[in-house]
């Protein structure tokens, strides 16, 4: 049996702005992914991944003709304390939609709007 989420894609309009937001909020460095189609206009940047660790990785994708924001996908990023990343998100140009909220025995969560209008979640056990 495998985890239900194997990958995620967050569509963006401005790759440099979105990349700076996620790198700043999560304290990571994204890696450029080359398209298997050398003539493809799609720009992709991958989040760091450890295949032996729990959870899924994914990427930011800029696809001509596919606008970001107002989507129905909600991705939760794992954090040590989601309040820390929520504060960083505001400093990085995002909006806090819901501050750190208790989920009882399931930890805590916070909801944000990124610089591209996408709604994302943060999850931590403390």
């Amino acid at each position: 049996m495998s985890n239900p989420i194997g990958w995620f894609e967050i569509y963006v309009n401005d790759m440099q702005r979105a990349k700076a937001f996620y790198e700043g909020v999560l304290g990571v460095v994204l890696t450029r992914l080359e398209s298997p189609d050398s003539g493809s206009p799609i720009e992709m940047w991958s989040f760091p991944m450890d295949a032996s660790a729990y959870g899924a990785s994914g990427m930011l994708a800029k696809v001509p003709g596919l606008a970001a924001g107002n989507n129905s996908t909600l991705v939760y990023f794992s954090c040590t304390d989601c309040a820390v990343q929520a504060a960083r998100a505001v400093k990085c140009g995002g909006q806090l939609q819901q501050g750190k909220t208790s989920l009882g025995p399931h930890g805590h969560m916070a909801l944000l709007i990124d610089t591209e209008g996408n709604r994302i979640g943060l999850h931590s056990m403390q």
Side-chain angles (χ1 to χ4, degrees):
M1 181 149 170
S2 63
N3 292 320
I5 303 297
W7 184 257
F8 63 84
E9 294 177 354
I10 300 173
Y11 298 101
V12 306
N13 295 323
D14 183 323
M15 183 59 79
Q16 287 309 105
R17 178 179 64 197
K19 190 171 162 296
F21 175 82
Y22 284 96
E23 288 179 337
V25 171
L26 300 174
V28 298
V29 176
L30 278 64
T31 303
R32 177 78 188 237
L33 291 177
E34 297 301 325
S35 173
D37 176 4
S38 62
S40 174
I42 299 171
E43 183 179 357
M44 302 175 292
W45 288 81
S46 175
F47 287 85
M49 180 179 174
D50 177 352
S52 66
Y54 175 78
S57 189
M59 70 179 182
L60 300 179
K62 182 177 180 185
V63 181
L66 184 60
N70 299 316
N71 57 27
S72 60
T73 301
L74 183 57
V75 176
Y76 281 87
F77 291 92
S78 297
C79 310
T80 301
D81 180 352
C82 64
V84 173
Q85 281 76 16
R88 286 184 194 164
V90 173
K91 290 180 184 174
C92 292
Q95 300 172 6
L96 183 63
Q97 191 173 49
Q98 181 177 339
K100 184 176 180 178
T101 303
S102 175
L103 300 172
H106 304 290
H108 296 85
M109 55 82 75
L111 296 174
L112 314 168
I113 303 297
D114 75 5
T115 56
E116 305 303 294
N118 295 303
R119 186 173 176 220
I120 62 169
L122 302 172
H123 178 266
S124 62
M125 289 308 294
Q126 68 172 335

